[in-house]
């Protein structure tokens, strides 16, 4: 059993290191900002989804807490190495709402993320065909993680996404010494809390890559829960954060208004 865990960890590490190598190549050879961002988002999404496919193996064979530990460590790695990439469409929706990017750019980047999440199927299947774990698996043979109605699933994904984004924005504002670790810990905790309800994805691209067309829910249910639910939570966090910020940092907010 320990050998299977080591194999899963090595596969995840290899995926992360290879993705980092591609990022270095992209940084050196792609100069156009939009083209570079599209490439980096594609790579980040592919890395995220490939790693999380292997985390499915870890969760099934070693339980939710081993899954949580590795996810926490991965979140720290991604925070340190992804740069401007997010592998998550609603981050770009928030940027569009802030006025920092155009809608067309947000749309293109989201398409690049979806493409990255779908492009890794054959790679994941190849690693699973090596049969390093005790069970034979297929990326095309899966069960949905939605264990409640679509409405409650969307509510879980929306509320958790809302909390994640509020916490992330607040930590970014405070810039504490161990901010990345705190953000990763809270995000991982929310994933564990939501796991028995919706699977705890909080990311439409990740959910689509891992669970679209799986047994147990329809395409419409999947879209409502993992796309509408999480995007609604993100939008609500964007809308309410100025109120939260004014409550937490009243002096800074007043100074910016006076300027």
């Amino acid at each position: 059993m320990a050998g299977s865990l080591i194999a899963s960890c090595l596969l995840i590490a290899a995926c992360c290191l290879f993705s980092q190598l591609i990022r270095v190549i992209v940084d050196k050879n792609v100069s156009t900002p939009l083209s570079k961002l599209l490439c980096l988002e594609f790579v980040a999404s592919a890395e995220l989804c490939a790693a999380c496919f292997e985390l499915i193996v870890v969760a099934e064979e070693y339980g939710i807490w081993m899954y949580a530990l590795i996810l926490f460590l991965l979140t720290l790695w991604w925070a340190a190495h992804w740069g401007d990439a997010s592998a998550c469409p609603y981050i770009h929706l928030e940027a569009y709402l802030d006025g920092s990017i155009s809608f067309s750019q947000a749309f293109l980047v989201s398409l690049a993320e979806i493409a990255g999440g779908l492009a890794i199927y054959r790679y994941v299947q190849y690693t699973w065909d090596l049969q390093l774990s005790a069970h034979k698996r297929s990326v095309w043979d899966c069960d949905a993680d939605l264990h409640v109605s679509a409405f409650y699933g969307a509510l879980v994904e929306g509320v958790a996404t809302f909390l994640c984004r509020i916490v992330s924005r607040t930590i970014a504002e405070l810039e504490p010494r161990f901010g990345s670790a705190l953000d990763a810990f809270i995000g991982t905790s929310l994933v564990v809390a939501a796991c028995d309800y919706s699977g705890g994805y909080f990311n439409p691209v990740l959910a689509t890559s891992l669970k679209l067309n799986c047994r147990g829910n329809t395409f419409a249910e999947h879209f409502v829960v993992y796309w509408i639910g999480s995007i609604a939570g993100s939008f609500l966090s964007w809308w309410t954060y100025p109120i939260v910020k004014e409550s937490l940092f009243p002096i800074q907010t007043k100074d910016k208004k006076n300027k």
Side-chain angles (χ1 to χ4, degrees):
M1 292 291 285
S4 178
L5 177 60
I6 292 172
S8 290
C9 291
L10 289 175
L11 286 172
I12 292 172
C15 170
C16 292
L17 292 174
F18 183 68
S19 298
Q20 182 60 20
L21 175 62
I22 297 177
R23 275 190 286 271
V24 171
I25 294 172
V26 169
D27 281 334
K28 290 184 176 180
N29 294 279
V30 182
S31 57
T32 307
L34 179 57
S35 298
K36 178 179 289 188
L37 180 60
L38 292 174
C39 292
L40 293 176
E41 289 289 2
F42 180 93
V43 173
S45 297
E47 178 185 356
L48 170 70
C49 296
C52 287
F53 263 116
E54 193 60 35
L55 280 179
I56 293 174
V57 178
V58 173
E60 290 179 355
E61 298 194 6
Y62 299 96
I64 189 64
W65 297 111
M66 182 58 70
Y67 167 93
L69 173 61
I70 298 176
L71 178 61
F72 172 76
L73 297 174
L74 280 170
T75 304
L76 293 178
W77 166 269
W78 294 328
H81 293 87
W82 276 5
D84 293 332
S86 66
C88 189
Y90 56 67
I91 301 298
H92 312 294
L93 173 62
E94 292 178 16
Y96 165 69
L97 293 172
D98 285 333
S100 56
I101 64 173
S102 66
F103 179 80
S104 60
Q105 182 174 339
F107 181 73
L108 286 173
V109 173
S110 297
L111 287 181
E113 292 169 344
I114 294 171
L118 299 179
I120 44 79
Y121 281 3
R122 291 192 179 278
Y123 162 78
V124 173
Q125 189 59 55
Y126 172 77
T127 62
W128 284 358
D129 286 342
L130 297 175
Q131 297 188 17
L132 300 176
S133 64
H135 305 288
K136 185 172 178 62
R137 292 178 169 81
S138 170
V139 293
W140 295 279
D141 182 19
C142 55
D143 294 307
D145 282 338
L146 183 63
H147 303 298
V148 294
S149 68
F151 173 78
Y152 284 111
L155 188 63
V156 169
E157 290 285 314
V159 169
T161 300
F162 170 81
L163 293 174
C164 276
R165 294 302 299 140
I166 289 290
V167 167
S168 293
R169 284 172 173 264
T170 303
I171 290 174
E173 191 78 30
L174 290 172
E175 296 183 340
R177 184 177 179 183
F178 300 105
S180 294
L182 179 60
D183 196 12
F185 176 79
I186 293 173
T188 302
S189 299
L190 287 169
V191 169
V192 172
C195 193
D196 289 335
Y197 301 97
S198 64
Y201 289 92
F202 320 150
N203 183 330
V205 166
L206 177 62
T208 297
S209 178
L210 270 62
K211 293 299 176 179
L212 182 65
N213 288 329
C214 288
R215 287 183 299 272
N217 58 248
T218 64
F219 176 85
E221 289 172 334
H222 177 93
F223 184 78
V224 167
V225 173
Y226 299 112
W227 282 86
I228 294 179
S230 59
I231 289 176
S234 169
F235 174 77
L236 188 61
S237 74
W238 172 84
W239 185 58
T240 59
Y241 182 71
I243 302 171
V244 174
K245 182 178 178 180
E246 190 168 356
S247 300
L248 294 175
F249 317 107
I251 297 177
Q252 294 181 17
T253 306
K254 287 180 180 178
D255 288 342
K256 288 183 178 180
K257 285 182 178 179
N258 291 334
K259 289 180 180 179

